[in-house]
């Protein structure tokens, strides 16, 4: 057998490990096969440009998978008022067929993004962009096609909004750096990153890999989509910065643009690498970490971000010696503490931050305020969804320390549930003036934070 034949067989096995014929594959398997093919092609040739991609965006199995993923995320209707039930009532196949035709004939035009405001636990309001479901499906279809190409380029130091990557892995990496003696940290906060990405430079960055002008034009349509807020339209064609608010494709575009920073920091010839400085990034949150953060490296960082037209929030960014000063990253507090068992030993204490602990308590409190007279089963299910997600996120085996936080959460649940069931309006319930926490745990399956064993998330 010729060497070329053996190489081709190995590639075919990687692209289609099941060996199934296309007609026997599920929709998801066909999508995965296309993605593996694109990824391997990009990985084999780091300079390769992809000229024909647009026709893949409106393939029926791509649109079908895009619909499935968008629907699984749920969400409110966009500016057109159309929800998932409306689409299912008139027919998903018809909905996807119309979208396919619009994309194929290039008559597709995204709607304005509806801006709503959701209350934050501290009383402030957070703006949220809601595209229409049709636009979310179109963005997801595009993402399914182009993401594997850029995944082949992304650095291992990037952890946010990527397949098989997580915030927990970022925290593990930071602890590895700290234990290796890299204890100078620059905790960088970018000011309104998603709202300030320059369109022109983003499109040029996309063009390093994508030469299909139809894909670039499609992305440009989403970048220029207006925002509808309180009866007024803003943005639109005159907009020159920002990614689609609430858009499915926004995190990918944000990663593609900041990949420029990752690549330079990790380059063997860079001032960062020569000084032994590493980057750990999760979307727009990142830290530089090393034995010594040189003045030359910090000057270069500021120059790079300025060239990218991004602003550092100087009030929230800081350079520290982690042995002396704790820092917060991705909801965790990282500090160098003395051991309670041996006062001469110190260890890297990684725990949920005070802010993260307040948030879960506020989340539980808001749920109970709106729970009214839920039966115990429904109340337990509602609480479990919040407690489980929090515990799964913060408990990282042999890395984070959550015992104290879990004990405090346990105490808060006991106190708050006692208050909830001892209101006058709850007199007719079986849990009035009872040990509600214990009963909900023992009889109705509510999670006891002290006994819960989180599932693996890595």
């Amino acid at each position: 057998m010729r060497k070329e034949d053996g190489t081709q067989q190995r590639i075919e096995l990687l692209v289609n490990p099941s060996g199934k014929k296309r007609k026997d594959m599920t929709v998801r398997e066909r999508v995965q096969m296309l993605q593996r093919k694109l990824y391997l092609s990009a990985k084999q040739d780091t300079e390769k440009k992809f000229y024909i991609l647009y026709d893949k965006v409106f393939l029926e199995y791509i649109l079908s998978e895009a619909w499935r993923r968008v629907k699984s995320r749920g969400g409110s209707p966009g500016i057109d008022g159309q929800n998932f039930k409306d689409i299912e009532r008139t027919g998903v196949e018809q909905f996807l067929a119309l979208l396919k035709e619009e994309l194929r004939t290039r008559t597709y035009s995204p709607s304005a993004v509806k801006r709503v405001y959701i209350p934050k636990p501290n009383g402030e309001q957070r703006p949220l962009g809601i595209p229409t479901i049709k636009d979310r499906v179109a963005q997801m279809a595009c993402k399914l096609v182009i993401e594997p190409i850029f995944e082949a380029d992304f650095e291992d130091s990037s952890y946010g909004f990527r397949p098989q990557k997580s915030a927990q892995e970022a925290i593990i990496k930071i602890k590895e750096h700290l234990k290796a003696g890299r204890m100078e940290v620059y905790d960088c906060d970018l000011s309104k990153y998603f709202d300030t990405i320059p369109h022109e430079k983003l499109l040029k960055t996309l063009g390093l890999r994508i030469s299909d002008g139809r894909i670039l034009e499609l992305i440009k349509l989403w970048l220029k989509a207006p925002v509808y807020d309180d009866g007024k339209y803003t943005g639109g064609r005159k907009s020159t910065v920002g990614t689609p608010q609430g858009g499915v494709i926004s995190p990918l575009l944000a990663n593609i643009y900041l990949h420029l920073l990752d690549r330079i920091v990790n380059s063997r010839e860079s001032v960062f690498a020569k000084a032994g400085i590493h980057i750990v990034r999760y979307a727009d949150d990142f830290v530089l970490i090393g034995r010594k953060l040189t003045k030359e490296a910090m000057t270069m960082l500021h120059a790079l971000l300025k060239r990218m037209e991004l602003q550092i929030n100087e009030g929230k960014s800081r350079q520290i010696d982690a042995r002396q000063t704790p820092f917060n990253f991705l909801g965790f507090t990282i500090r160098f503490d003395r051991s309670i068992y041996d006062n001469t030993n110190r260890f890297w204490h990684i725990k949920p931050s005070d802010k993260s602990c307040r948030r879960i308590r506020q989340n539980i409190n808001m749920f109970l305020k709106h729970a009214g007279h839920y039966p115990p089963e429904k109340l337990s299910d509602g609480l479990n969804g919040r407690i489980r997600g929090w515990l799964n996120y913060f408990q990282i085996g042999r890395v984070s320390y959550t015992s104290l936080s879990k004990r405090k959460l346990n105490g808060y649940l006991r106190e708050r549930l006692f208050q909830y069931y001892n209101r006058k309006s709850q007199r007719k319930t079986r849990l009035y003036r009872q040990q509600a926490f214990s009963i909900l745990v023992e009889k109705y399956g509510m999670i006891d934070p002290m006994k819960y064993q989180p599932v693996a998330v890595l």
Side-chain angles (χ1 to χ4, degrees), residues 178 183-185 320-327 335-336 348:
L178 292 169
M183 292 178 278
E184 279 207 14
V185 175
I320 61 166
D321 180 340
R323 291 169 295 188
Q324 307 298 326
T325 308
F327 66 100
R335 60 191 304 148
F336 199 44
W348 291 107

Side-chain angles (χ1 to χ4, degrees), residues 352-446:
S353 68
D354 290 344
K355 185 176 181 180
S356 298
C357 292
R358 282 197 303 273
R359 277 183 177 174
I360 183 61
R361 293 195 296 268
Q362 289 166 342
N363 194 347
I364 289 169
N365 186 50
M366 288 181 71
F367 170 73
L368 290 176
K369 277 186 176 180
H370 294 91
H373 298 280
Y374 282 2
E377 298 90 342
K378 187 174 181 180
L379 191 80
S380 296
D381 286 344
L383 289 171
N384 282 350
R386 290 157 174 80
I387 299 167
R388 184 185 295 111
W390 194 86
L391 293 173
N392 283 346
Y393 181 84
F394 284 104
Q395 186 156 320
I396 310 172
R398 299 184 179 181
V399 174
S400 64
Y401 298 84
T402 56
S403 295
L404 182 58
S405 300
K406 291 196 293 185
R407 193 178 303 124
K408 289 181 177 179
L409 180 57
N410 180 293
Y412 176 77
L413 281 165
R414 290 178 182 275
E415 179 183 349
R416 187 66 185 83
L417 286 168
F418 182 81
Q419 293 172 352
Y420 175 82
Y421 278 111
N422 280 271
R423 296 175 299 168
K424 290 182 180 180
S425 60
Q426 294 280 10
R427 284 178 178 173
K428 294 182 180 180
T429 69
R430 288 170 288 174
L431 295 179
Y432 180 64
R433 290 189 175 177
Q434 301 296 314
Q435 294 297 320
F437 177 89
S438 299
I439 294 172
L440 289 173
V441 169
E442 293 168 10
K443 290 189 176 181
Y444 299 101
M446 192 185 80

Side-chain angles (χ1 to χ4, degrees), residues 11 19 69 73 79 94 104 127 156 187 210 216 245 248 370 394 412 416 443:
I11 291 174
R69 294 194 186 193
R73 295 182 176 192
I79 195 171
Q94 181 183 347
R104 187 187 69 80
D156 290 339
D187 181 8
I210 298 175
L216 298 177
Q245 284 206 4
V248 172
H370 294 91
F394 284 104
Y412 176 77
R416 187 66 185 83
K443 290 189 176 181

Side-chain angles (χ1 to χ4, degrees), residues 112-152:
V113 175
K114 182 174 73 174
R115 179 179 286 166
V116 297
Y117 294 88
I118 54 176
K120 295 170 70 174
N122 61 7
E124 296 179 0
Q125 290 198 321
R126 176 188 302 154
L128 179 68
I130 306 178
T132 64
I133 293 174
K134 183 174 82 169
D135 291 337
R136 280 178 255 171
V137 173
Q139 288 185 27
M140 180 64 79
C142 183
K143 179 176 180 285
L144 289 172
V145 173
I146 70 170
E147 185 175 53
I149 296 167
F150 292 98
E151 272 295 320

